[in-house]
């Protein structure tokens, strides 16, 4: 997600630093946050020819969005939201789409979506959570409200929320009858989410590094991605966590990935039972028990340190190594929040659909026991 005012500034520093794409990434949608129609249009015009659509973020619930007066903090200003979308719809050469959150009231949610459609949005992505549902208050997304929006509007609707595993994609589409599914945060921890493959983290890290070799990328962004990919391994291999913190060159990043790969392959061989992707156990909450070296979603019950996913994986690794318990490291500080590629599953195929900032609560696991969403 790009800040429209900063992106459209005459001084191109922000734009040159943040915005890059190439033909191999098409189709691509560029997402902006904004609260001024003219500034939004000015920013959007700068990506025409390099993007296939522009998306307006009306879903970000973070405090920075409240301070900046954008994202979900425009939900009460329907006239402004309508003007923002209509400005692009009537003056931009490429389509405009929008991502929204839901209200507590179903009728209000439907009316809001209809207003967004009437203003000119060609696709509506519905994040089925309230503005207040973020961080450890994330909870479950309401698929029933997403379904109701789909039934009420005539443009394609994408669903967002509760996507932890590949199988959740079809479950969501069946439950909501939507045209596609969007995932943000889960896609960071498991970039293979939409492929349906269960892959080791080092394989994804190597693939990411190969991309960075071809496309110049800020080291702070790379470091943040590595913290996500190796979320459950870094508390076990704390020396490599320190190594990652101090990476300053491409060679050092590659060395970190090679060192981590070597460690994780050794960890995979230590276990008494080999990991079988065809027979995966689940814990008491219904979450899958992957070893720490497998790409997996981040689960939000870390407030209970004794039953958390991180604690379980740390204990298992220590038991396999038969070494004294190491001090469990806390969640690593991320150096920067990178712009990431958000994947959308459109009926029958996975396609790249947007460049968007990760919303911290976008598709995280939940603090409570996972519930089954009704498909009635």
């Amino acid at each position: 997600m790009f800040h429209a005012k900063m992106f459209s500034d005459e001084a191109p520093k922000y734009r040159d630093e943040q915005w890059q794409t190439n033909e191999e990434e098409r189709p691509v949608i560029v997402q902006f946050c904004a609260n001024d129609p003219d500034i939004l249009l000015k920013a959007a015009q700068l990506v025409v020819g390099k993007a296939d659509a522009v998306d307006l973020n009306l879903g970000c619930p973070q405090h920075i969005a409240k301070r900046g007066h954008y994202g979900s903090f425009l939900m009460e200003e329907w006239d402004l939201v309508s003007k923002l979308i209509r400005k692009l719809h009537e003056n931009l050469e490429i389509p405009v789409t929008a991502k929204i959150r839901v209200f507590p009231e179903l009728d209000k949610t439907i009316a809001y979506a209809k207003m967004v459609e009437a203003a000119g949005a060609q696709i509506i992505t519905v994040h089925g959570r309230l503005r207040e549902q973020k961080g450890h208050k994330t909870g479950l997304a309401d698929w029933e409200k997403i379904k109701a929006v789909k039934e009420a509007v005539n443009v394609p609707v994408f669903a967002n929320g509760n996507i932890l595993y590949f199988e959740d994609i079809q479950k969501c589409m069946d439950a909501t009858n939507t045209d596609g599914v969007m995932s943000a945060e889960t896609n960071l921890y498991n970039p293979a989410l939409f492929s349906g493959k269960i892959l080791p983290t080092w394989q994804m890290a190597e693939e990411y590094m190969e991309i960075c070799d071809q496309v110049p990328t800020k080291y702070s962004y790379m470091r943040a991605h590595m913290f996500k990919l190796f979320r459950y391994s870094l508390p076990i291999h704390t020396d490599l966590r320190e190594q990652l913190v101090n990476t300053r060159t491409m060679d050092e990043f590659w060395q970190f990935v090679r060192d981590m790969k070597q460690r994780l392959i050794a960890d995979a061989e230590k276990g008494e039972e080999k990991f079988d992707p065809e027979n995966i156990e689940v814990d008491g909450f219904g979450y899958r028990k992957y070893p720490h070296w497998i790409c997996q979603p981040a689960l939000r019950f870390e407030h209970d340190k004794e039953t958390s996913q991180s604690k379980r994986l740390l204990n298992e690794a220590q038991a396999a190594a038969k070494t004294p318990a190491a001090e469990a490291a806390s969640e690593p500080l991320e150096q920067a929040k990178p712009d990431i590629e958000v994947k959308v599953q459109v009926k029958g195929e996975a396609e790249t659909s947007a460049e968007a900032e990760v919303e911290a609560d976008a598709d995280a696991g939940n603090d409570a026991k996972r519930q089954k969403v009704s498909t009635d």
Side-chain angles (χ1 to χ4, degrees):
M1 180 182 74
F2 300 116
H3 192 288
K5 188 175 188 303
M6 297 175 67
F7 195 90
S8 62
D9 198 298
E10 295 300 328
K13 181 179 179 181
Y14 173 85
R15 187 168 63 251
D16 290 346
E17 182 180 88
Q18 300 285 335
W19 165 241
Q20 56 180 305
T21 187
N22 56 58
E23 289 302 317
E24 294 180 4
E25 293 184 322
R26 307 294 286 271
V28 62
I29 298 176
V30 180
Q31 187 184 69
F32 290 103
C33 64
N35 55 32
D36 183 298
D38 292 328
I39 291 176
L40 176 60
L41 177 61
K42 184 179 178 182
Q45 288 172 331
L46 293 172
V47 302
V48 171
K50 298 179 181 179
D52 300 281
V54 167
D55 185 74
L56 176 62
N57 184 310
L58 298 170
C60 183
Q62 303 306 315
H63 187 62
I64 190 173
K66 183 176 182 179
R67 292 200 314 267
H69 189 219
Y70 60 80
S72 66
F73 294 94
L74 299 182
M75 289 177 71
E76 286 75 28
E77 301 181 51
W78 291 26
D79 184 58
L80 175 57
V81 168
S82 179
K83 288 178 179 178
L84 287 165
I85 296 172
R86 191 173 300 279
K87 189 73 172 184
L88 296 187
H89 179 59
E90 295 178 349
N91 296 279
L92 203 62
E93 301 171 32
I94 54 180
V96 56
T97 66
K99 181 181 180 183
I100 66 174
R101 284 197 172 222
V102 299
F103 290 90
E105 305 85 5
L106 177 59
D107 290 347
K108 191 172 183 179
T109 298
I110 292 173
Y112 186 56
K114 285 185 173 181
M115 176 273 294
V116 169
E117 177 187 31
Q122 301 298 298
I123 298 173
I124 301 175
T125 297
V126 183
H127 187 167
R129 292 187 174 95
L130 307 176
R131 181 170 59 203
E132 295 74 22
Q133 288 182 274
K134 58 184 177 180
H136 288 304
K137 295 181 180 179
T138 296
L140 287 173
D142 190 338
W143 285 357
E144 285 298 315
K145 285 181 179 174
I146 299 175
K147 179 181 180 181
V149 170
K150 170 59 183 174
E151 293 172 348
V153 301
N154 296 309
V155 296
V157 173
F158 292 163
N160 182 212
N162 300 348
I163 306 300
L164 296 178
Y165 309 109
F166 176 74
E167 292 77 10
D168 293 333
I169 298 169
Q170 192 60 52
K171 289 178 184 177
C172 180
M173 295 178 73
D174 290 343
T176 61
N177 199 34
T178 49
D179 303 279
V181 168
M182 175 182 285
S183 175
E185 190 173 20
T186 298
N187 201 53
L188 266 181
Y189 295 95
N190 179 17
L193 172 68
F194 282 86
S195 72
K197 298 177 181 178
I198 299 174
L199 299 176
T201 51
W202 68 78
Q203 181 175 331
M204 290 291 91
E206 288 177 329
E207 184 174 330
Y208 177 66
M209 286 299 301
E210 290 170 358
I211 294 172
C212 292
D213 278 339
Q214 301 174 42
V215 182
T217 306
K218 289 186 68 174
Y219 294 151
S220 59
Y221 297 170
M222 294 171 61
R223 193 175 298 108
H225 275 298
M226 293 300 173
F227 270 123
K228 298 289 188 185
L229 281 172
F230 296 116
R231 172 188 173 95
Y232 293 119
S233 297
L234 289 169
I236 297 168
H237 299 287
T238 54
D239 59 321
L240 293 185
R241 178 185 173 184
E242 187 69 20
Q243 180 178 335
L244 176 57
V245 168
N246 292 308
T247 49
R248 296 292 183 272
T249 67
M250 287 298 292
D251 287 342
E252 289 177 353
F253 272 103
W254 267 113
Q255 188 60 52
F256 163 77
V257 172
R258 286 191 289 267
D259 291 345
M260 180 62 84
K261 177 180 179 179
Q262 184 178 15
R263 294 279 188 91
L264 299 187
I265 289 175
D267 287 348
E269 295 174 348
K270 285 177 186 175
E272 294 181 3
E273 296 183 8
K274 297 297 182 183
F275 172 66
D276 181 2
E278 300 299 323
N279 295 285
I280 301 172
E281 295 181 39
V282 297
D283 64 15
F285 294 95
Y287 297 110
R288 299 177 186 179
K289 296 175 67 174
Y290 289 123
H292 67 89
W293 43 269
I294 289 292
C295 290
Q296 57 194 285
L299 305 179
R300 289 193 187 276
F301 41 49
E302 296 296 321
H303 57 280
D304 183 353
K305 294 299 182 182
E306 293 307 310
T307 61
S308 70
Q309 178 84 334
S310 296
K311 183 69 173 179
R312 177 183 70 77
L313 292 170
L314 183 60
N315 289 340
E316 290 178 359
Q318 291 166 350
K322 293 183 173 61
T323 59
E327 180 180 355
S330 60
E331 173 74 4
L333 293 174
E334 296 165 10
Q335 307 300 310
K337 183 177 288 185
D339 296 306
I340 67 157
E341 187 177 59
V342 172
K343 296 288 186 177
V344 175
Q345 175 79 25
V346 180
K347 289 182 178 177
E349 59 181 343
E351 295 185 341
T352 300
S353 173
E355 287 286 337
E357 179 185 57
V358 179
E359 294 178 343
D361 67 327
D363 287 303
N366 313 295
D367 356 44
K369 183 176 179 180
R370 187 174 177 83
Q371 303 172 22
K372 181 178 179 182
V373 178
S374 172
T375 57
D376 295 338

